[in-house]
Amino acid sequence: MARVTIKDIAKELGVSYTTVSRALTNRAGVNPITRERVVEEAKRMGYQPNILARGLVMQRTDTIGLLVPDITNPFSAEVARGVENAAQEFGLTLILGDTNYSPELESQYIRRLGSNRVDGLLIMPVSSNAKTEILDTGIPSVILNTKNAADSTSFVTIDHELGGYLATKHLLELGFRRVAIVGGKITSEAYEDRLVGYKKALKDFGILYDAELIFSGPAVSNSAALKKAVAKLQGGEGPDAFFAANDVIALDLLRALKALPDRLGSGIGVIGFDDIPIASFPDIELSTMAQPKYILGRTAVEILVQKINPVQENHAQHVILPPELVIRKTVRD
């Protein structure tokens, strides 16, 4: 069976070859009704674009890249699922890169993918230089899970300040007064925003901020921060509740509390952040701040497609999604 071409579609609809081409590549200059007719006819006739030919003519690959710091983290995996599903709907192929929290590896990925290998790039940056490096490549891009309101770069993120506020407020409403933060990279924008929310909640309850209750650091690994927090608890003047930077840290904390002698971990408050699937398991029931991970990924692709195929003047888009407090079991036995 002969391959259906753009010319075949144009002949069937009685429109020009250029009109069909513009409609199928989502370019400007096509009436919306005509565009819809072209797309529907292309589907009916079983049209499949010649990726190689179109790439040579339009310098397009119909491929986008996604860089995440740790694909084994359930948060990153769920975001990637949203990106992958949306990419498929737009007829795009996804290249996934795991930077393993390495600025050097992140920089290598950006350079390689920016060398005409992808039409656009989505990234959860680990380096403060990432945005500049992406802009230098000239390819359309969207930043995920971090923001810079003064930047010309598009981003999709979560309202981390609100998340920090709601998580801390929940613990304070339960009567806890020495609420600690455990984990998190202090140089990240998400951490800084959550800390702002944390301090705001303390102020609303008339509690002074105590830097001794902050167990975070410059490194990605949170094992040292967790050990310090548990040691402080064993010392008798430690926290009575913990706001963990993510659910993985919260789960590690729960295991550490159970291992403490003389039931020192009993009655301690714990809340996480992310709402990964295991958080809802019956033997865990972790209270947490749910992030719309899948929606974050899908939204980022929708913005990126608009940047790749602009139908009007393209401005940076800044999308901040709200988190949701999920209350399960906050006070641990």
Side-chain angles (χ1 to χ4, degrees), residues 131 134-135 141-143 148 150-155 307 316-318:
K131 295 176 185 177
I134 292 171
L135 289 173
S141 61
V142 179
I143 305 294
N148 186 340
D151 202 337
S152 59
T153 307
S154 293
F155 66 74
K307 294 171 74 69
Q317 296 189 50
H318 298 164

Side-chain angles (χ1 to χ4, degrees), residues 81-95:
R81 189 172 72 88
V83 170
E84 172 69 22
N85 288 355
Q88 289 179 355
E89 293 175 13
F90 283 106
L92 300 171
T93 299
L94 177 67
I95 295 177

Side-chain angles (χ1 to χ4, degrees), residues 10 13-14 41 46 48 52 81 86 182 206 211 249 260 266 273 287 299:
L13 293 175
E41 186 62 25
Q48 294 292 329
L52 179 59
R81 189 172 72 88
V182 59
I249 297 171
L260 289 176
S266 179
F273 211 103
S287 291
T299 303

Side-chain angles (χ1 to χ4, degrees), residues 21 55 65 71 105 123 125 199 206 210 215-216 266 289 293 300 308:
S21 177
I71 194 58
L105 185 56
I123 180 173
K199 291 179 178 179
D210 184 356
F215 302 95
S216 302
S266 179
M289 292 303 307
K293 303 172 284 295
I308 294 171

